[in-house]
């Protein structure tokens, strides 16, 4: 996955947890499945206060209807078939074909637009560790308390209105935000002066918020679809938002996958692998910035920003050693009746429910199994008093009452 500045916390048993859309979401993964569980706040002690651009399902009705399965599928962007996308991008670009297969599984998260905007304003002249620390401080000091796992509190993102107070900028400076404190305060103020759905009005209609239907975003042009160009232009009016930050928000918060953020690292890739850095594109000017994006959009189409993120990941020093070895993902399923072993890789993402747990599985290629073979994925039921999901005997989900008050002692 890519583009998440959230403070995901890892437990000793390899469960990752964070506050997301009015709940504490916990994830763990084995060789074949991704498991999730959710803890919702007690309505009397910590009502969920989602960001302004959160979907309607994240309001008070979340206590009646648990949409966590849909949220996991949506947030992790599990719908698109990565095999088909990688094949498409590789057929158009030999450089991608050479490097990207070693980095299978890179997806662009479908973040909340406000959260993405805040995160990328904080990213200016910064590193991932410090950005994550800033996001954590914002949540702790201004966001709603969702609940606890053991004794550790989890806070959700504050709404823009929470950052508009007269003392916010000074307080953020005290917390170590530096000049970004002014940008966050001013941008939050500008957004609260707009219609409450202003940010989401800039969203790609083909990548709507959770619970909304898709509709066409129009035809692709060399500079991107008209809606993307409009969103990019409007974001530039906000404090602390330049072309790169606007493209990051378009790509990772608004669903415009043709957006190509060009930072110094991407500029180095463009010079080394795509013949930029010569003639009129000798330096990274505004015209060159646009030319790099247009070149990648010509290569990879309306998912150019996604494809460029795969190359960005492949080029990072932390992952460079992986380029020297081929990585294959294969799940083997033993067929006792047929006395053989069938290799099955995965083509699409499926969400599967079992008693007490839910899982998503991802495969990479279709395999025809013998007619008598039935493949059943099972997983061990675990208990965690702090994170739970309830089911009725007939399989219909119901909410368990779970206390999320402050820990005793």
């Amino acid at each position: 996955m890519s583009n998440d500045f959230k403070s995901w916390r890892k437990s000793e048993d390899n469960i990752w947890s964070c506050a997301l859309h009015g709940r504490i979401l916990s994830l763990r993964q084995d060789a074949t499945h991704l498991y999730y569980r959710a803890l919702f706040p007690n309505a009397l002690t910590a009502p969920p206060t989602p960001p302004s651009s959160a979907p309607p399902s994240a309001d008070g009705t979340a206590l009646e209807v648990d949409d966590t399965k849909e949220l996991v599928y949506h947030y992790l962007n599990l719908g698109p078939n990565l095999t088909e996308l990688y094949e498409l991008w590789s057929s158009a670009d030999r450089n991608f074909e050479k490097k990207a297969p070693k980095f299978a599984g890179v997806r662009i998260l479908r973040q909340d637009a406000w959260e993405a905007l805040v995160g990328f304003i904080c990213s200016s002249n910064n590193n991932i560790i410090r950005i994550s620390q800033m996001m954590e401080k914002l949540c702790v000091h201004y966001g709603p308390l969702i609940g606890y796992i053991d004794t550790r509190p989890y806070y959700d993102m504050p709404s823009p209105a929470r950052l508009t107070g007269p003392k916010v900028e000074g307080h953020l400076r005290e917390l170590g935000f530096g000049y970004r404190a002014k940008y966050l305060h001013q941008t939050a103020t500008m957004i609260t002066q707009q219609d409450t759905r202003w940010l989401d009005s800039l969203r790609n209609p083909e990548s709507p918020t959770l619970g909304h239907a898709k509709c066409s975003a129009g035809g692709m042009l060399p500079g991107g679809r008209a809606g993307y160009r409009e969103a990019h232009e409007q974001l530039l009016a906000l404090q602390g938002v330049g072309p790169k930050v606007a493209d990051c928000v378009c790509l990772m918060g608004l669903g415009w996958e043709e957006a190509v953020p060009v930072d110094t690292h991407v500029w180095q890739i463009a010079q080394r692998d795509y013949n930029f850095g010569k003639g009129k594109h000798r330096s990274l000017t505004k015209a060159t910035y646009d030319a790099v994006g247009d070149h990648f959009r010509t290569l990879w189409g309306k998912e150019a920003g996604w494809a460029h993120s795969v190359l960005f990941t492949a080029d990072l020093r932390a992952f460079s050693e992986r380029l020297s070895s081929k990585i294959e993902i294969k799940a083997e399923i033993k067929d006792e009746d047929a006395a053989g072993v069938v290799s099955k890789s995965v083509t699409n993402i499926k969400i599967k429910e079992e008693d007490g747990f839910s899982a998503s599985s991802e495969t990479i290629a279709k395999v025809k199994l013998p007619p008598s073979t039935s493949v059943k994925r099972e997983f061990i039921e675990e208990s965690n008093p702090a994170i739970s999901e309830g089911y009725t005997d007939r399989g219909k989900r119901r909410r368990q009452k779970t206390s999320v008050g402050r820990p005793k002692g």
Side-chain angles (χ1 to χ4, degrees):
M1 296 295 174
S2 179
N3 65 279
D4 195 353
F5 295 133
K6 276 186 172 296
S7 295
W8 286 87
R9 298 171 180 171
K10 184 180 180 181
S11 68
E12 293 182 356
D13 48 356
N14 292 322
I15 295 177
W16 294 83
S17 302
C18 79
L20 181 68
H21 283 241
R23 74 206 74 190
I24 301 175
L25 178 64
S26 295
L27 303 174
R28 70 174 178 87
Q29 186 174 3
D30 60 22
T32 58
H33 290 79
L34 174 69
Y35 304 87
Y36 71 87
R37 284 176 281 182
L39 169 65
F40 287 81
N42 186 305
L44 298 178
T45 60
T49 307
S52 62
S53 56
S57 57
D59 61 18
T61 61
L63 297 174
E64 301 294 334
V65 179
D66 182 358
D67 62 351
T68 304
K69 182 178 74 173
E70 292 78 12
L71 173 62
V72 170
Y73 199 95
H74 175 89
Y75 186 75
L76 299 182
N77 199 11
L78 297 180
N81 186 309
L82 274 183
T83 300
E84 293 178 358
L85 288 176
Y86 273 51
E87 289 175 350
L88 177 64
W89 300 331
S90 294
S91 67
D93 180 14
R94 295 186 64 181
N95 184 53
F96 189 97
E97 182 182 23
K98 176 183 177 181
K99 295 181 178 179
K102 317 303 189 301
F103 293 87
V106 176
R107 293 180 182 271
I108 300 295
L109 299 181
R110 288 179 173 174
Q111 285 183 286
D112 173 80
W114 164 243
E115 179 181 315
L117 176 60
V118 170
F120 285 107
I121 289 177
C122 290
S123 73
S124 174
N125 296 315
N126 220 339
N127 58 58
I128 292 177
I129 294 177
R130 289 196 64 221
I131 299 167
S132 296
Q133 291 172 345
M134 289 180 177
M135 297 292 283
E136 177 75 3
K137 290 176 181 177
L138 276 176
C139 292
V140 169
H141 289 272
Y142 294 97
L145 174 65
I146 300 301
Y148 289 83
I149 295 180
D150 297 326
T151 60
R152 299 193 68 174
Y154 285 76
Y155 295 85
D156 211 343
M157 273 292 293
S159 66
R162 291 283 293 142
L163 302 183
T164 60
K167 297 181 180 180
V168 168
E169 180 182 340
H171 186 218
L172 291 180
R173 289 184 182 275
E174 293 174 0
L175 294 174
F177 283 73
Y179 64 87
R180 305 169 196 84
K182 179 179 180 180
Y183 293 156
L184 290 172
H185 177 254
Q186 291 183 342
T187 289
T189 300
M190 295 173 70
I191 289 178
T192 56
Q193 292 171 350
Q194 301 277 354
D195 181 89
T196 56
R197 302 293 292 182
W198 175 73
L199 265 181
D200 276 338
S201 73
L202 306 179
R203 179 175 293 277
N204 180 359
E206 293 179 2
S207 180
T209 54
L210 179 63
H212 289 76
K214 296 180 181 180
C215 58
S216 174
M220 185 66 182
L221 300 171
R225 288 166 287 188
Y228 154 64
R229 298 198 301 273
E230 174 66 18
H232 189 272
E233 186 67 25
Q234 292 203 37
L235 289 172
L236 290 175
L238 300 175
Q239 294 297 311
V241 178
K244 188 198 77 172
V245 169
D247 269 327
C248 288
V249 177
C250 282
L251 174 63
M252 304 171 193
L254 295 173
W256 293 106
E257 293 176 349
E258 69 259 49
V260 179
V262 181
D263 61 3
T264 55
H265 195 87
V266 174
W267 173 234
Q268 291 171 359
I269 294 174
Q271 293 177 88
R272 186 191 65 218
D273 299 333
Y274 296 95
N275 296 319
F276 280 88
K278 303 174 183 178
K280 64 180 180 179
H281 296 311
R282 187 178 302 273
S283 60
L284 188 53
T285 62
K286 173 63 166 62
T288 302
Y289 183 102
D290 293 339
V292 171
D294 289 347
H295 180 73
F296 287 154
R297 280 184 281 269
T298 299
L299 280 177
W300 302 316
K302 66 179 183 178
E303 293 94 8
W306 191 340
H308 122 288
S309 297
V310 177
L311 287 187
F312 180 91
T313 302
D315 208 61
L316 292 177
R317 182 177 301 176
F319 298 104
S320 60
E321 294 181 358
R322 296 182 61 181
L323 288 174
S324 61
S325 62
K326 185 176 181 180
I327 297 176
E328 295 182 355
I329 301 174
K330 182 180 292 185
E332 291 187 342
I333 303 168
K334 184 174 291 186
D335 177 9
E336 296 178 355
D337 295 333
V341 175
V342 180
S343 294
K344 182 178 181 182
S345 34
V346 195
T347 57
N348 52 18
I349 311 284
K350 296 181 180 179
I351 297 291
K352 179 182 178 182
E353 297 183 359
E354 298 275 350
D355 290 340
F357 291 90
S358 298
S360 71
S361 60
E362 178 173 354
T363 48
I364 300 176
K366 289 182 179 179
V367 172
K368 184 179 290 186
L369 299 176
S372 61
T373 303
S374 84
V375 178
K376 181 178 181 182
R377 300 188 187 276
E378 297 183 2
F379 36 97
I380 299 172
E381 182 171 350
E382 299 176 351
S383 61
N384 186 329
I387 314 173
S388 60
E389 179 173 321
Y391 294 84
T392 63
D393 293 337
R394 296 185 178 180
K396 295 182 179 179
R397 276 181 290 184
R398 59 177 174 81
R399 288 297 321 287
Q400 290 183 347
K401 295 182 179 179
T402 307
S403 174
V404 294
R406 296 189 178 276
K408 297 180 180 179

